[in-house]
Amino acid sequence: MVTKEQIQEANAKDILKIAESLGLPVTKVGSGYRSGKNLAYQFNPHTNTYSNYRTGVKGADVIALFQNETGLDFEKAVEQLCHTDVNLVEINHTPQPKEPFRWYFKTSPNADRATELLVNQRKLPEKLVKLLVDKRYIIQDKYQQIVFPWYKNGQVVGADVKGTVYRPDEEHPYFKGIAKNSENFGYNIKVGSGRVKDIYIFEAPVDLLSYWALHPEIKDCLLFSVSGTSNANRVELAMNYAQATYGMSQEPKEMERSIHICVDNDEQGSKFWKKFDKQNDLVLEWNGDCVLFEDDRPDPAFGKDWNDVLTYHAKEYEQNLSEATTNEEMVMG
């Protein structure tokens, strides 16, 4: 059995050097350190911890990293780490104050690359993309990245970032990430001039826009991307925001099946949906026959996400977003 002192020593090993020793070459990106396919690993040298946006791991320690990469059990991982010739670091347990989000993107004078990727490859209707570019819900920066700003009460509080440069050797050939110091929020669009009656929850902005293209009849709703299934807490944020800002009812009976869970129809999406299906059970116990959350994941026969569905039906839907939808009032979220 390993001792408390051994565990402390193992977790004090320099996580950047441990990552390198495990075959995870570390790259400095901005003020942080990244590694792995699509730079999924993010290291925090101040706390000697790591996160992985692909698996949803947040703030895990050195031992957890070592176990994950080697498959060793806890005790053997601790023992090997203690015998690894890597310097110990002083771990700062004081929470680091998060800097407020600031817009640091240099905006391109046009959105040609963004339009080419979103229209020609992702099959979004050209007039929808043009509408969103005009309203600054889609921005192209000087590096030809697509920036999806997160609006909150008229202010930008974060952004999703998607690359337009194809990287054939990567699992995800187009870079995607979250802007530095983004708030705990998400990309959102309010559709219609009335109070919000429905909220549609997505994993990513392109899925959100694909769903809208496929369902041009929706109105008086909030489309909201949580940027990955690890951010389930943002569903409640979206609900609170719609109620405080757009007059959505707080009465469960008036919210019957009004929260549409539109995430991917895959393993992670299923886990995400089950969290809210369980909440439906709790609401039923508390409030009779009321169900808040609706399973609105795509039919897997057409693809795992809503952009797959749009692409599948490209010939039918291409450039076919109705005039009624493009003329709808879109209120900045």
Side-chain angles (χ1 to χ4, degrees):
M1 179 178 293
V2 294
T3 65
K4 179 180 178 180
E5 289 73 19
Q6 285 176 304
I7 294 171
Q8 290 176 338
E9 179 184 348
N11 273 329
K13 297 286 185 174
D14 187 333
I15 196 166
L16 299 181
K17 292 182 178 177
I18 291 297
E20 294 274 4
S21 73
L22 292 169
L24 293 170
V26 175
T27 302
K28 195 170 192 309
V29 179
S31 60
Y33 297 86
R34 308 294 287 263
S35 185
K37 278 191 174 182
N38 303 301
L39 302 181
Y41 284 96
Q42 182 172 6
F43 300 99
N44 185 337
H46 297 290
T47 57
N48 214 40
T49 58
Y50 83 97
S51 300
N52 187 316
Y53 75 82
R54 287 185 64 220
T55 60
V57 172
K58 294 183 179 180
D61 58 25
V62 176
I63 297 172
L65 175 67
F66 201 80
Q67 284 186 270
N68 184 65
E69 294 301 310
T70 63
L72 294 174
D73 63 31
F74 183 81
E75 288 193 10
K76 288 182 179 177
V78 170
E79 290 172 354
Q80 285 204 23
L81 280 166
C82 288
H83 288 93
T84 302
D85 188 17
V86 169
N87 294 338
L88 302 183
V89 296
E90 185 175 344
I91 302 173
N92 184 356
H93 293 287
T94 304
Q96 297 292 310
K98 185 176 180 179
E99 296 180 18
F101 175 79
R102 64 177 182 82
W103 185 263
Y104 56 86
F105 299 98
K106 303 295 183 182
T107 305
S108 169
N110 59 59
D112 55 342
R113 287 284 293 165
T115 301
E116 192 278 331
L117 188 144
L118 294 174
V119 174
N120 295 339
Q121 296 186 38
R122 294 308 188 109
K123 301 304 180 182
L124 289 170
E126 187 172 2
K127 55 187 172 182
L128 174 60
V129 174
K130 183 180 185 302
L131 173 71
L132 296 171
V133 169
D134 290 345
K135 289 182 172 285
R136 295 186 65 79
Y137 277 82
I138 293 175
I139 295 171
Q140 180 175 302
D141 74 359
K142 72 172 186 177
Y143 300 110
Q144 299 185 327
Q145 298 181 119
I146 307 171
V147 184
F148 297 95
W150 301 353
Y151 290 105
K152 181 181 180 182
N153 298 321
Q155 300 296 317
V156 181
V157 298
D160 286 90
V161 184
K162 185 173 183 61
T164 61
V165 177
Y166 186 72
R167 306 174 301 172
D169 295 331
E170 297 288 346
E171 181 181 352
H172 298 287
Y174 292 99
F175 168 79
K176 63 178 180 178
I178 303 300
K180 179 183 176 183
N181 295 327
S182 291
E183 286 190 17
N184 186 27
F185 207 60
Y187 183 71
N188 64 97
I189 299 174
K190 195 264 188 180
V191 181
S193 56
R195 68 182 180 89
V196 164
K197 298 176 182 177
D198 293 272
I199 300 175
Y200 295 83
I201 301 295
F202 303 88
E203 286 189 38
V206 171
D207 293 327
L208 179 158
L209 299 178
S210 299
Y211 185 94
W212 191 18
L214 288 161
H215 301 85
E217 73 283 355
I218 61 175
K219 64 178 182 177
D220 296 336
C221 59
L222 181 67
L223 310 178
F224 198 101
S225 167
V226 297
S227 299
T229 53
S230 63
N231 296 316
N233 68 308
R234 294 183 182 179
V235 175
E236 185 176 358
L237 285 176
M239 293 170 64
N240 292 338
Y241 183 62
Q243 291 166 351
T245 308
Y246 298 124
M248 188 175 192
S249 175
Q250 298 185 34
E251 294 296 324
K253 287 190 178 299
E254 293 183 23
M255 295 174 65
E256 176 75 16
R257 301 189 183 279
S258 62
I259 315 299
H260 303 257
I261 304 299
C262 310
V263 297
D264 296 357
N265 203 336
D266 59 9
E267 182 179 355
Q268 293 303 316
S270 294
K271 290 179 180 178
F272 189 91
W273 162 246
K274 285 177 183 177
K275 294 177 182 178
F276 296 98
D277 198 22
K278 288 180 181 178
Q279 289 191 38
N280 274 337
D281 293 339
L282 293 174
V283 173
L284 282 170
E285 289 179 15
W286 169 62
N287 205 52
D289 59 354
C290 181
V291 173
L292 294 183
F293 301 97
E294 179 81 2
D295 185 358
D296 207 351
R297 291 175 293 161
D299 184 337
F302 303 120
K304 74 177 182 65
D305 62 43
W306 283 106
N307 187 246
D308 286 345
V309 178
L310 181 66
T311 303
Y312 184 92
H313 293 297
K315 290 183 180 179
E316 179 182 354
Y317 287 102
E318 192 170 19
Q319 312 308 316
N320 194 34
L321 186 69
S322 73
E323 290 295 336
T325 300
T326 55
N327 290 332
E328 277 281 5
E329 178 184 353
M330 284 194 352
V331 182
M332 284 175 55

